[in-house]
Amino acid sequence: MTPPMHQIAAPAPGLGAIGARSTARFGDIDEQAAALQGWNQNYLQISRGRFDGTVQRLQLEGVGLFIEDLRQSVHQTGWVTPDVFALGVPLALDGDAQFCGQRADGHALHVFSGSGGFEFRSPQRHLMIGIEIDRALYQAHLAHALGDTPGQPAAERARLHATDPAVLNALRGFLVDLFRCAVPGAVHADAPASALLGRQVRTQLLDRMALALAPREPVDADEGRCATLAQRALVARATDFVAARLGEPPSVGELCEALGVSRRTLQSAFQRCWGMGPLAWLTTMRLNAARRRLKSAASVTEAATEFGFWHFGHFAADYQALFGECPSHTLRRHRAGHPAAH
């Protein structure tokens, strides 16, 4: 389901500083429970043997991320403070596990937030990424995916949330890459470019979370039909809105709110007009902007990070898949004064 822990912690090639990763190791179960502040947890060790656990942390603006690694079976109870919305993305659940009375097999999101608290019996090998989102960000980007609106809030309770396996795996990969690319220890990178990249990364994460939380869309019986005039007009409005702010594009949720449409309506319009969903379309728009920027940029890193690309390997692969050449080739051609060469 995911690479071994030492591979997650290993550095990966990044294009820009996205934050600092801290790591704490615990030989005491109560100390590890207390390390997750705001969760009000109690841990009870079930399996026999010496306790060994770690917590890795990474902070984005308004979003806290951590990887919790437990090597004993633990019964966990607690409740998350209401000023955050908390999710868990399982990386490894090796053995019998139950979450809030449901069997947990690692193929569903764990929603920890809820007025009644949560209960989790973890297996002897437990590796999970926790996500803590400020309520304001939750309302702006994720609430609509769960049917929670300001006028009609959805009943919030801790539970397992089934999602599309491919979407869940993509979210896992994105989160693991974030930890791999983060710099260990303290980082003093408060330059505007670093802050901007952090916000872009956060928007990309929130979009992937919203997709994972949204109910599965039914198969479109009209798939393959041409877009209606209304759908073409909606996509044109979306294109104008995003083109004006490609350096810090909106999330899909913010785009829906700005256009006054539902996510399903926007998804259908883009699928009909472009043959892809709005999230893939946003990435395509950013790749095209990065290509244009490479014609005048001093480096690939400069062009890529300006439009929110932070993982070198993914950027290079996506760029080559779309344009048929690597970004460094584009840069060299224009430096050589042959912009028309192919």
Side-chain angles (χ1 to χ4, degrees), residues 148-167:
D148 188 355
T149 61
Q152 294 180 314
E156 190 174 289
R157 60 182 178 82
R159 66 197 185 279
L160 293 177
H161 183 88
T163 189
D164 183 270
V167 172

Side-chain angles (χ1 to χ4, degrees), residues 44 53 70 78 153 161 225 228 249 322:
L44 179 68
L70 295 173
H161 183 88
R225 291 180 56 185
T228 65
L322 184 60

